[in-house]
Amino acid sequence: MRKTLLLAAVAAMALGAGPALAKKQLVIVVKGLDNPFFEAIHQGCEKWNKENASSEYECFYTGPASTSDEAGEAQIVQDMLSKPDTVAMAISPSNAPLIAQTIKSANPSIPIMTVDADLTKEDAALRKTYLGTDNYLMGKKIGEYIKKAKPNGGTICTIEGNPAADNILRRAQGMRDALSGKEGLAALKGEGGWTEVAGCPVFTNDDGAKGVQAMTDILAANPKLDAFGIMGGWPLFGAPQPYRDLFKPMADKIAKNEFVIGAADTIGDEVAIAKEGLVTALVGQRPFEMGYKAPAVMLDLIGGKKVDDPVFTGLDECTKETADTCIQK
């Protein structure tokens, strides 16, 4: 009898301890689950979990199904902030002002940081730090590759993602500054020899197929176009075969720098496309590193430790000649 009662007591204790054993959540909210860039962040998050299996904390990755669902991301941020087991959050804002307003409305007491994409300068005080790419530098490097290939300038079209995505806007500004030799120009109208053609920049909402179609249309309307500056790799990794189909007939012109394409990112088929000579240069981010580092940064913030702002991850630069060795291992 005593043995039965003892077993029952142990079982009751185990059941009662269930909720207490639930791990505290270090939440990463990305723009969309349909983008391989964010899947690399997910893999970094999972590596942290594997290496910290005995921790009381867990890296939890989430986001809307589609990268174009700005309202969905804001709703997820709001929902996750209302959960008692969410103890810190890293957000990649698709629409920076909308996410800022969501944070203001929630008025969270937990540490908030941004990853991959930041809030605007006006809203930066809402988060503790930004972890990710130096987006201005990334765009500037893209611009430098384009300028090196065509030092006398020409006509260019910029392919962007979401018009309210701060990281993409910073890249575009960096590219314009590199091409023009001036800072802060909203559009290029001959500065440094470069002019942005009518209808550009094109905003594709991170949709690869839409990006390729936009470039097809721009080339048809501007047969003497000299360059594309692609601020995210969506057309290359999101629609690699249509991208190849569009630019294979131009491979010789690309090889001779008669036509120049500078693009962001080095994921999916992008490096293979560089090796095929269908892009002049890639400037890539390190999303896996972002996902892997984010939980540690959140823990430092929870612990009240000093954290740099920003915390930059590195860049990889790939051309046809360096495609085999350009990615950080």
Side-chain angles (χ1 to χ4, degrees), residues 198-255:
C200 296
V202 177
F203 295 97
T204 66
N205 289 319
D206 300 6
D207 186 312
K210 189 174 180 179
V212 174
Q213 185 59 56
M215 289 190 289
T216 303
D217 295 342
I218 290 294
L219 284 169
N222 301 272
K224 294 185 178 180
L225 187 76
D226 293 296
F228 278 115
I230 306 174
M231 298 299 101
W234 322 289
L236 291 83
F237 66 67
Q241 195 52 52
Y243 179 92
R244 286 182 169 104
D245 293 342
L246 177 60
F247 288 109
K248 272 183 181 178
M250 301 176 68
D252 189 53
K253 291 182 69 176
I254 295 170

Side-chain angles (χ1 to χ4, degrees), residues 12 71 73 94 144 195 254 265 267 283 285 301 327:
E73 183 187 28
S94 180
E144 288 170 350
T195 300
I254 295 170
D265 298 324
I267 58 178
V283 180
Q285 307 175 80
L301 292 172
I327 303 298

